[in-house]
């Protein structure tokens, strides 16, 4: 996730306006910053790695002339967070400048084609193919606008683009597929941005750009056309009435709720990982004698689920381990034949880095799964993969959890393929389901949120909850519990449901709420037994269940429904969503701020 902004004015300097806009967009990434303007028929560019303030201190981002310009703040995906990879990127002649938010899936093919045609590349980004491709079309005789349209027609993946051309200094061209972009219009200027809050200090008149559309902005005019055939689109400006703070949350009252709703898009991005990262990690996993899955908190719950994935798909046992326990539990056992797959959203969690130090000392191979390129974890790992969820502002991990699960499932599938542990038929079926998970998650959010609110009303004063599951959904239950206790401060208990009879059931009394994660899979029969033993002792049963499971619906007091037909190893992704919403609305019902839980920090950098 990156932030892009551009503006074209009738008078004055664009650069200071772009600089301020990039400050507001910094929540979308701060690996590098860049601005390009057009002055005197030439592009002027300043860019470097680092956050907006640091780059401004070094380069003075306001000190660029010109009434038109574009800017970018980067969350690295392709290419390290270095100056060379900072946007804007340009063509060979330095006349076309491009900023981009998104991931171009076919960039290597396009780059190979452009290299053959003599284009020279300065960066390792996917974005740089765009200015070169436009240049190439223009050399073939296309006018600038047509060259842009031909170029974006060939892009696969996600993009929000803003483009300027030194020979046509009156316009910015923008285009959209999957990544957000809006146009703002005032009496004296026009702008384009990744989000509405950044536009609001300039104007509250917004023109939405939809997927498959191209926008052309001058200081006085705004035009939209279809990318496919160039036909004009008529759309009215709308007036935004939010204040800036509400707008940063895109109309959601809290970042946590916004991030829960972002999950379908993040899952889509997690499906766009470059194959070579998955392949590299798979190679390391394949040659290890033993694999430790190392993490804390929510990321640990993802590792626990991953252990079931590797076992189910690859017949491989792994050791999920809470990082702060690693040295005590496995410190002596780990050796040159061990592999550590460390999972950390931030990539900076001290417990993980400390455990990794120890494992490196014992010559183990370190692999990483993180959301933060450039983090310490990426530096200490032999190979790493970025889950590409974009910054998570809410302290509670939500969208990063489901994306971690999806990346881990892809790794398990890839290893299963390499080891010949699954039939082609099963792989094909599984890939279909992987591609459906985005839509399924969207359905769960859309259909279950109101139900969650109603169930919260019934149980808002409960003193304690049980969260129970079996198999891979033990991890889902643990994650539901973690969300509820860290946000709503409700003491909660979670464990594999089969353990009830070994002790915890003694707490159950009339009215005690127990939440069961109950997909229709091989554990269901045993789980029904666990539901019955709780019911017999007066527990109130809430279930997250398959929408077609009438038998369990008849047994329980309340339920949340999940679309049918999800393979077991992907089930934690949709099944955790009602539990995230439950924790969020319980926090509200108990007057707790879900974005600022007590005593917690987003990234725990102390031991
Ligand atoms: O950045 P990491 O994934 O390493 O963070 C791990 C935990 O600190 C984190 O998941 C924490 O448990 C969150 N508060 C969970 O919502």
């Amino acid at each position: 996730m990156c932030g892009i902004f551009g503006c074209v004015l009738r008078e004055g300097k664009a650069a200071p306006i772009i600089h301020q806009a990039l400050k507001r967009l910094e929540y979308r990434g701060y690996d590098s910053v860049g601005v390009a303007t057009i002055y005197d028929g030439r592009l002027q560019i300043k860019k470097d790695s680092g956050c907006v303030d640091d780059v401004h201190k070094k380069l003075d981002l306001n000190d660029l002339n010109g009434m038109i310009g574009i800017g970018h703040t980067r969350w690295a995906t392709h290419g390290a967070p270095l100056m060379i990879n900072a946007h804007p990127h340009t063509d060979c002649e330095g006349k076309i400048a491009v900023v981009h938010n998104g991931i171009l899936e076919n960039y290597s093919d396009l780059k190979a084609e452009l290299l053959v045609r003599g284009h020279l590349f300065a960066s390792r980004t996917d974005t740089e193919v765009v200015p070169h491709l436009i240049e190439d079309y223009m050399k073939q005789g296309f006018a600038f606008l047509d060259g842009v349209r031909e170029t974006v027609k060939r892009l696969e993946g996600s993009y929000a683009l803003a483009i300027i051309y030194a020979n046509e200094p009156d316009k910015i061209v923008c285009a959209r597929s999957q990544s957000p972009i809006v146009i703002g219009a005032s009496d004296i200027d026009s702008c384009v941005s990744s989000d509405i809050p950044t536009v609001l200090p300039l104007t509250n008149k917004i023109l939405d750009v939809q997927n498959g559309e191209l926008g052309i902005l001058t200081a006085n005019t705004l035009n939209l056309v279809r990318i496919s055939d160039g036909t004009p689109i008529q759309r009215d400006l709308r007036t935004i009435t939010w204040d800036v703070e509400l707008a940063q949350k895109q109309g959601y009252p809290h970042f946590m709720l916004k991030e829960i709703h972002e999950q379908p898009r993040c899952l889509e991005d997690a499906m766009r990982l470059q194959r070579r990262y998955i392949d590299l990690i798979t190679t390391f996993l394949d040659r290890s004698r033993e694999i430790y899955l190392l993490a804390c908190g929510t990321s640990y719950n993802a590792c626990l689920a991953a252990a079931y994935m590797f076992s189910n798909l690859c017949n491989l046992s792994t050791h999920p381990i809470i990082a702060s326990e690693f040295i005590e539990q496995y410190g002596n056992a780990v050796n040159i034949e061990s592999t550590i797959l460390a999972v950390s959203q931030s990539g900076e969690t001290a417990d993980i880095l400390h455990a990794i130090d120890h494992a490196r000392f014992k010559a183990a191979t370190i692999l990483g799964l993180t959301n933060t390129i450039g983090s310490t974890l990426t530096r200490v790992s032999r190979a790493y993969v970025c889950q590409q969820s974009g910054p998570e502002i809410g302290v509670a991990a939500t969208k990063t959890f489901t994306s971690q699960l999806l990346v881990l499932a892809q790794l398990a599938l890839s290893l299963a393929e390499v080891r010949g542990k699954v039939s082609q038929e099963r792989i094909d079926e599984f890939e279909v389901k992987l591609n459906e998970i985005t839509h399924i998650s969207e359905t769960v959010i859309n259909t279950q949120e109101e139900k969650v609110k109603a169930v919260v009303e019934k149980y808002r004063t409960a003193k304690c909850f049980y969260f129970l599951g079996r198999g891979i959904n033990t991890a889902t239950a643990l994650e539901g519990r973690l969300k509820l206790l860290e946000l709503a401060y409700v003491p909660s208990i979670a464990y594999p449901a089969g353990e009830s009879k070994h002790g915890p059931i003694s707490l159950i009394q009339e009215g005690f709420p127990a939440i069961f994660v109950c997909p229709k899979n091989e554990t269901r029969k045993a789980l029904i037994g666990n539901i019955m033993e709780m019911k017999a002792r007066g527990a109130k049963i809430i279930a997250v269940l398959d929408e077609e499971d009438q038998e369990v619906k008849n047994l329980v007091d309340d339920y949340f429904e999940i679309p049918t037909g999800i393979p077991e190893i992907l089930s934690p992704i949709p099944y955790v969503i009602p539990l995230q919403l439950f924790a969020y609305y319980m926090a509200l019902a108990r007057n707790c701020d879900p974005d600022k839980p007590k005593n917690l920090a987003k990234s725990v950098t102390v031991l």
Side-chain angles (χ1 to χ4, degrees), residues 275-288:
R275 189 69 222 176
R276 65 192 164 104
Y277 295 121
I278 297 274
D279 289 347
L280 185 58
I281 304 258
T282 304
T283 308
F284 280 114
L285 292 177
D286 186 36
R287 68 180 201 205
S288 356

Side-chain angles (χ1 to χ4, degrees), residues 296-299 343-347 349 352 395-397 404 482-483 486 600 602 604:
C296 304
T298 290
S299 300
V343 179
S344 173
Q345 183 284 129
S346 60
T349 299
I352 296 176
V395 168
Q404 281 168 347
L482 178 57
K483 292 289 88 96
E486 73 177 331
L600 294 178
K602 184 68 187 160
V604 185

Side-chain angles (χ1 to χ4, degrees), residues 531-585:
I531 291 176
M532 297 312 287
E533 64 199 19
M534 289 279 178
K535 248 176 101 81
R537 288 160 179 84
K540 288 276 179 209
I541 311 292
I542 305 161
V544 191
L545 46 69
D546 185 299
E547 63 185 0
E548 293 183 357
D549 196 343
Q550 200 50 49
E551 184 187 353
V552 176
K553 283 185 187 173
N554 292 340
L555 290 178
V556 303
D557 297 278
D558 296 284
Y559 55 80
F560 308 121
E561 293 170 283
I562 308 297
T564 202
I566 296 157
E568 186 173 356
I569 70 161
L570 291 180
S571 59
I573 298 175
Y575 275 73
V576 80
I577 293 173
L579 303 182
Q580 296 171 336
L581 288 164
F582 185 73
Y584 172 77
Y585 284 108

Side-chain angles (χ1 to χ4, degrees), residues 15 61 150 152 163 236 241 264 286 293 306 461 479 490 533 546 569 606:
L61 293 171
E150 289 308 311
V152 289
I163 304 162
D236 292 336
T241 50
D286 186 36
L293 305 170
T461 56
E479 179 57 10
V490 187
E533 64 199 19
D546 185 299
I569 70 161
V606 287

Side-chain angles (χ1 to χ4, degrees), residues 414-535:
S414 165
L415 188 59
E417 280 186 82
V418 165
R419 293 192 161 190
K421 295 290 183 194
V422 276
S423 66
Q424 188 58 50
E425 194 185 340
R426 190 154 176 231
I427 292 172
D428 292 346
E429 275 172 26
F430 194 76
E431 267 169 1
V432 170
K433 290 294 173 190
L434 272 174
N435 286 311
E436 284 174 3
I437 207 74
T438 300
H439 177 63
I440 290 168
S441 304
E442 198 162 24
T443 306
V444 174
I445 296 168
N446 293 340
T447 59
Q448 301 307 299
E449 191 164 359
E450 289 307 311
K451 271 197 199 169
V452 170
K453 287 186 198 168
V455 173
V456 163
E457 273 314 299
K458 278 177 78 175
Y459 297 95
R460 59 190 290 170
T461 56
K463 301 253 174 312
C464 182
F465 282 82
Y466 273 60
F467 286 83
L468 302 173
R470 275 179 175 259
I472 194 169
N473 283 298
T474 300
T476 315
L478 283 165
E479 179 57 10
R481 187 272 303 257
L482 178 57
K483 292 289 88 96
L484 186 67
L485 66 82
E486 73 177 331
L487 298 176
Y489 319 131
V490 187
S492 308
I493 299 164
Y495 55 85
E499 276 291 286
S500 289
K501 55 192 176 296
H502 299 290
I505 201 164
S506 61
L507 271 184
I508 293 292
Q509 46 177 291
E510 201 57 40
F512 205 122
I515 300 181
F516 281 82
V517 184
C518 186
K520 247 183 170 176
N521 61 21
E522 281 170 15
T523 65
R524 175 177 167 276
K525 271 221 155 55
L527 204 68
I528 290 177
N530 301 131
I531 291 176
M532 297 312 287
E533 64 199 19
M534 289 279 178
K535 248 176 101 81

Side-chain angles (χ1 to χ4, degrees), residues 3 8 45 66 109 122 152 164 196-197 218 327 335 356 367 386 403 454 488 530 581 599:
V8 42
I45 297 181
D109 294 343
V152 289
I164 52 176
I196 295 174
T218 69
I327 297 178
N335 60 44
I356 286 177
L367 307 175
C386 175
S403 292
N530 301 131
L581 288 164
N599 308 331

